[in-house]
Each structure stands twice: as C-alpha cells, then as structure tokens.
Amino acid sequence: MSPFASTAYPPSRAEEVWTTTFNELGQRIRQHFVRPEPHQRALTYMQALMSPMGRKNGWQVAEAVGETTPYAMQHLLDRAKWDCDGLRNALRMYVWETLAEPYAVLVIDETGFLKKGRKSVGVQRQYSGTAGRIENCQVGVFLSYASSRGHTLLDRELYLPKSWTGNQERCREAHVPASVTFATKPELAAQMLWRTLE
C-alpha cells in the first residue's frame, strides 16, 4: 500500500510524496547491505514488485527494470551479502510507525513452494496447501500485519522437516547453519510472534 493512500493528493503531488517516501526508506535500510550495489538492486527489485505487472517471477521482474536476464536479481536474492534479519527488524519498525493502530491483527499462514529435485533447503514430499495435496515442495511459515491503514508481510521462517535437521551432512552441503534444529510449524509461528511482540 502506498504511504499516501488515505490522503487525496493531485497526481503530480502524489508521485512526489511517493518518491520522497521511497527514497527515505532506501536510506533507512542502507546500513543492512554490505555494498552499495546490492542496496540499489534491492530498491530496484522493490519497485518492480510494486509495479502493476501481472506475474512477478525473475524473468518478468528483470524485464520490467530493463534487464535482459534475471541473473542480477537472482544474485541479490541468492548470493549477495545483506542482513536479512536486520532488514526485517527495520521493516517491523517502519510498519509500527506507518500502519499501526489499536485494532490491527497479526496473521499467520503457511505456503508451499513446489520444487523439483532434493537440493533446495527443506524440500521433501509433504503437504502443500498451494497444490492441495502431497507434493515435492518447501514450506514457509509467514507472519503478516493487517490494519485499516494497510497490510504487509512482517516475518518468515522456512520449515525444515526432520529429514533435513536429522541429516547434518545434507544441511552442511546446503549451507544450513549448524544452530538450526527441528521446529514444528506452530513453533516457528510462535517464534515470529514473540519476536514481533517484543
């Protein structure tokens, strides 16, 4: 939701407010990126996600920002150095400042991501609500914030089945930190709730 959606601005003024707010947000999150290039790429990525294009996979996002391949965006999401937990915390503070109200709610949901193969972290044959059946997939648990002023994703955890957490070699090959242990989906949801409520 745009930061000025509840206020009636003429189109030129609305664009100015949006640009100023987006630039301020960009400066606010700069500290969570090791280098300036991933920071700029993240801002470009966010703009593409907020665009009106229908599908937003790697190819469509790249094309929307004038790139011929999705490799730079994939690098940002897969290999670039940035503090995702610090960024999550900055988002939480921004949401508190801009969307908070007394009757807001936190929403917990899980989503399955269909996958082929067995290398993606957490992948195995398990129930996917997305597919409506047991499929080879990853499952993420998500926490969202919703108020009459807007809504946004706040936090996320990837569910790692026991077939992963019980296999140290497999976890090491996939770069899963040794500190990660098995947690049920409700336990992951509780962790996110406590992080947010604290």
Side-chain angles (χ1 to χ4, degrees), residues 3 16-29 40 42-48 50 94:
E16 181 184 323
V17 170
W18 190 95
T19 301
T20 300
T21 303
F22 188 80
N23 290 340
E24 288 171 358
L25 180 62
Q27 288 305 311
R28 186 175 189 158
I29 65 173
Q40 188 57 51
L43 297 177
T44 302
Y45 183 69
M46 286 192 298
Q47 286 177 311
M50 291 186 288
Y94 182 76

Coordinates of all heavy atoms in Angstrom, one line a residue, residues 3 16-29 40 42-48 50 94:
P3 N 2.2 5.0 0.9 CA 2.2 5.7 2.1 C 1.2 6.9 2.2 O 1.0 7.5 3.2 CB 3.6 6.2 2.3 CG 4.2 6.2 0.9 CD 3.5 5.1 0.2
E16 N 5.3 12.8 -6.1 CA 6.4 13.4 -5.4 C 6.5 12.8 -3.9 O 7.5 12.5 -3.4 CB 6.1 14.9 -5.3 CG 7.2 15.7 -4.5 CD 6.9 17.2 -4.5 OE1 6.3 17.7 -5.4 OE2 7.1 17.8 -3.4
V17 N 5.3 12.7 -3.3 CA 5.3 12.1 -2.0 C 5.8 10.7 -2.0 O 6.6 10.3 -1.1 CB 3.8 12.2 -1.4 CG1 3.7 11.4 -0.1 CG2 3.4 13.6 -1.1
W18 N 5.3 9.9 -3.0 CA 5.7 8.5 -3.1 C 7.3 8.4 -3.3 O 7.9 7.7 -2.6 CB 5.0 7.8 -4.2 CG 5.2 6.4 -4.3 CD1 4.4 5.4 -3.7 CD2 6.4 5.6 -4.8 NE1 5.0 4.2 -3.9 CE2 6.1 4.3 -4.6 CE3 7.5 6.0 -5.5 CZ2 7.0 3.3 -5.0 CZ3 8.4 5.0 -5.9 CH2 8.2 3.7 -5.6
T19 N 7.8 9.2 -4.2 CA 9.2 9.2 -4.4 C 10.0 9.6 -3.2 O 11.0 9.0 -2.9 CB 9.6 10.1 -5.6 OG1 8.8 9.7 -6.8 CG2 11.1 10.1 -5.9
T20 N 9.6 10.7 -2.5 CA 10.3 11.1 -1.3 C 10.3 10.0 -0.2 O 11.3 9.7 0.4 CB 9.7 12.4 -0.8 OG1 9.8 13.4 -1.8 CG2 10.4 12.8 0.5
T21 N 9.1 9.4 0.0 CA 9.0 8.4 1.0 C 9.8 7.1 0.6 O 10.5 6.6 1.5 CB 7.5 8.0 1.1 OG1 6.7 9.1 1.5 CG2 7.3 6.9 2.2
F22 N 9.8 6.8 -0.6 CA 10.6 5.6 -1.1 C 12.1 5.9 -0.9 O 12.8 5.0 -0.4 CB 10.3 5.3 -2.5 CG 10.9 4.0 -3.0 CD1 10.3 2.8 -2.7 CD2 12.1 4.0 -3.7 CE1 10.9 1.6 -3.1 CE2 12.7 2.8 -4.1 CZ 12.1 1.6 -3.8
N23 N 12.6 7.1 -1.2 CA 14.0 7.4 -1.1 C 14.4 7.4 0.4 O 15.5 7.0 0.8 CB 14.3 8.8 -1.7 CG 14.2 8.7 -3.2 OD1 14.3 7.6 -3.8 ND2 14.0 9.9 -3.9
E24 N 13.5 7.9 1.3 CA 13.8 7.9 2.7 C 13.9 6.5 3.2 O 14.7 6.1 4.0 CB 12.7 8.7 3.5 CG 12.8 10.2 3.3 CD 11.5 10.9 3.9 OE1 10.6 10.2 4.4 OE2 11.5 12.1 3.8
L25 N 13.0 5.6 2.8 CA 13.0 4.2 3.1 C 14.4 3.6 2.6 O 15.0 2.8 3.4 CB 11.8 3.5 2.6 CG 11.8 2.0 2.9 CD1 11.7 1.7 4.4 CD2 10.6 1.3 2.2
G26 N 14.8 3.9 1.4 CA 16.0 3.4 0.9 C 17.2 3.8 1.8 O 18.1 3.0 2.0
Q27 N 17.2 5.0 2.2 CA 18.3 5.5 3.1 C 18.3 4.7 4.5 O 19.3 4.4 5.0 CB 18.2 7.0 3.3 CG 18.7 7.8 2.1 CD 20.0 7.4 1.6 OE1 21.0 7.3 2.4 NE2 20.2 7.1 0.4
R28 N 17.1 4.5 4.9 CA 16.9 3.8 6.2 C 17.4 2.4 6.2 O 17.9 1.9 7.2 CB 15.4 3.8 6.5 CG 15.0 3.3 7.8 CD 13.5 3.5 8.0 NE 13.1 3.3 9.3 CZ 12.0 3.7 9.9 NH1 11.2 4.5 9.2 NH2 11.7 3.4 11.1
I29 N 17.3 1.7 5.1 CA 17.7 0.3 5.0 C 19.2 0.2 4.5 O 19.7 -1.0 4.5 CB 16.8 -0.5 4.2 CG1 16.8 -0.1 2.7 CG2 15.4 -0.5 4.8 CD1 16.0 -1.0 1.8
Q40 N 21.2 -0.9 -4.1 CA 20.5 -0.3 -5.2 C 19.6 -1.3 -5.9 O 18.5 -1.1 -6.4 CB 21.5 0.3 -6.2 CG 20.9 1.1 -7.3 CD 19.9 2.2 -6.7 OE1 20.3 3.0 -5.9 NE2 18.7 2.3 -7.2
A42 N 18.3 -4.0 -4.6 CA 17.1 -4.2 -3.7 C 16.0 -3.2 -3.9 O 14.8 -3.5 -4.0 CB 17.5 -4.3 -2.3
L43 N 16.4 -1.9 -4.1 CA 15.5 -0.8 -4.3 C 14.8 -1.0 -5.6 O 13.6 -0.9 -5.8 CB 16.1 0.5 -4.2 CG 16.7 0.9 -2.8 CD1 17.4 2.3 -2.9 CD2 15.6 0.9 -1.8
T44 N 15.6 -1.4 -6.6 CA 15.0 -1.6 -8.0 C 14.0 -2.8 -7.9 O 13.0 -2.8 -8.5 CB 16.1 -1.9 -9.0 OG1 17.0 -0.8 -9.0 CG2 15.6 -2.2 -10.4
Y45 N 14.4 -3.9 -7.2 CA 13.6 -5.0 -7.1 C 12.3 -4.7 -6.4 O 11.2 -5.1 -6.9 CB 14.3 -6.1 -6.2 CG 13.6 -7.4 -6.1 CD1 13.4 -8.3 -7.1 CD2 13.2 -7.8 -4.8 CE1 12.8 -9.5 -7.0 CE2 12.5 -9.0 -4.7 CZ 12.3 -9.8 -5.7 OH 11.7 -11.0 -5.6
M46 N 12.3 -3.9 -5.3 CA 11.1 -3.5 -4.6 C 10.2 -2.7 -5.6 O 8.9 -2.9 -5.6 CB 11.4 -2.6 -3.4 CG 11.9 -3.5 -2.2 SD 12.0 -2.6 -0.7 CE 13.1 -1.3 -1.0
Q47 N 10.8 -1.8 -6.4 CA 9.9 -1.0 -7.3 C 9.3 -1.9 -8.3 O 8.1 -1.7 -8.6 CB 10.8 0.0 -8.0 CG 11.2 1.2 -7.1 CD 12.1 2.2 -7.8 OE1 13.1 1.8 -8.5 NE2 11.7 3.5 -7.7
A48 N 10.0 -2.9 -8.8 CA 9.4 -3.9 -9.7 C 8.2 -4.7 -9.1 O 7.2 -4.9 -9.7 CB 10.4 -4.8 -10.3
M50 N 6.3 -3.7 -6.8 CA 5.1 -2.8 -6.6 C 4.5 -2.3 -7.9 O 3.5 -1.6 -7.9 CB 5.5 -1.5 -5.8 CG 5.9 -1.9 -4.3 SD 6.2 -0.5 -3.3 CE 7.8 0.1 -3.9
Y94 N 9.3 0.3 10.7 CA 8.6 1.1 9.7 C 7.1 0.9 9.7 O 6.3 1.8 9.7 CB 9.2 0.8 8.3 CG 8.6 1.7 7.2 CD1 8.9 3.0 7.1 CD2 7.6 1.2 6.3 CE1 8.4 3.8 6.1 CE2 7.1 2.0 5.3 CZ 7.5 3.3 5.2 OH 6.9 4.1 4.3

